[in-house]
Amino acid sequence: MQKGRIIFLNGVTSAGKTSIVEALQERDDVFFYVVANDLFQEMVGDKYLRQNYWKYLSEVILMMYHTAKLYSDMGKNVLIDGILVEREQIKPHYRQLLDIMADNPLDIVEVYCPLDICRQRNIDRGDRYEGQSEEQHALMAENIEYSVKVDTSILTPEECADRIVKALLAS
């Protein structure tokens, strides 16, 4: 059985990852299952996240990667909506992702948006705090090998989805 493609959308909060996921899921030419940091974080529960946020979040992120790998092993395409941050509890995060996905077709997409625009999006959303994107940016893994970069400050989610599909899935 051919393994499904895994496309990791990596970017800070409010960069536009989830909007791109939604645009990809609206397409007729490709289908993806989605795993997302936010969805897996909900598996833990607020009580435990308040007690030791990074411990539990790190564990659930690794479970998310194994879930994506399982779908890929079953021939299903998967989108990961996440962020590769280097915290003590999950170091080396980027290396762990690559090790888990070593036998699977993985592409990492940089979802870029200038931090001042992310800040304003955080304010407008109301469910993130103003400086959250900057904090995440300071923790992001370095030297990530990206297959594609999209800039959500100049492209719509649909245009980003189109670029991703053309770059990674066009035959």
Side-chain angles (χ1 to χ4, degrees):
M1 174 185 299
Q2 183 174 336
K3 294 182 184 223
R5 298 290 295 267
I6 300 170
I7 298 177
F8 190 119
L9 302 177
N10 185 49
V12 298
T13 192
S14 294
K17 300 179 303 292
T18 303
S19 296
I20 294 170
V21 165
E22 291 168 357
L24 283 164
Q25 288 190 306
E26 286 297 316
R27 296 178 68 98
D28 293 326
D29 59 339
V30 64
F31 176 79
F32 290 94
Y33 288 93
V34 178
V35 296
N37 277 8
D38 292 346
L39 297 173
F40 273 71
Q41 181 175 321
E42 289 177 15
M43 298 170 126
V44 176
D46 289 337
K47 173 186 171 186
Y48 295 100
L49 289 173
R50 281 192 304 272
Q51 287 176 2
N52 196 335
Y53 180 81
W54 283 106
K55 174 191 182 298
Y56 291 107
L57 183 64
S58 299
E59 290 174 357
V60 82
I61 285 171
L62 294 178
M63 287 185 264
M64 178 179 71
Y65 297 159
H66 285 284
T67 301
K69 178 182 176 22
L70 176 63
Y71 275 84
S72 173
D73 288 344
M74 296 174 68
K76 308 300 182 190
N77 293 330
V78 183
L79 290 171
I80 299 175
D81 178 346
I83 178 171
L84 290 164
V85 295
E86 293 295 348
R87 293 283 304 196
E88 195 57 43
Q89 297 84 343
I90 198 167
K91 278 185 179 178
H93 186 171
Y94 178 47
R95 179 81 255 152
Q96 286 193 66
L97 170 70
L98 295 179
D99 289 346
I100 291 167
M101 304 298 180
D103 297 326
N104 298 77
L106 170 68
D107 287 288
I108 304 175
V109 175
E110 180 180 9
V111 179
Y112 171 79
C113 185
L115 292 175
D116 59 322
I117 294 174
C118 289
R119 175 183 287 273
Q120 187 57 53
R121 289 178 180 175
N122 287 338
I123 293 167
D124 294 343
R125 286 174 67 159
D127 64 345
R128 303 284 194 266
Y129 57 91
E130 187 176 336
Q132 192 168 351
S133 301
E134 289 93 340
E135 286 179 16
Q136 290 177 349
H137 183 264
L139 299 172
M140 284 187 78
E142 297 179 358
N143 303 314
I144 297 170
E145 192 173 317
Y146 290 107
S147 302
V148 178
K149 176 181 178 176
V150 293
D151 183 341
T152 64
S153 70
I154 57 174
L155 299 172
T156 67
E158 295 74 22
E159 290 169 329
C160 291
D162 193 51
R163 285 196 182 188
I164 291 165
V165 168
K166 285 181 179 172
L168 301 179
L169 300 171
S171 32

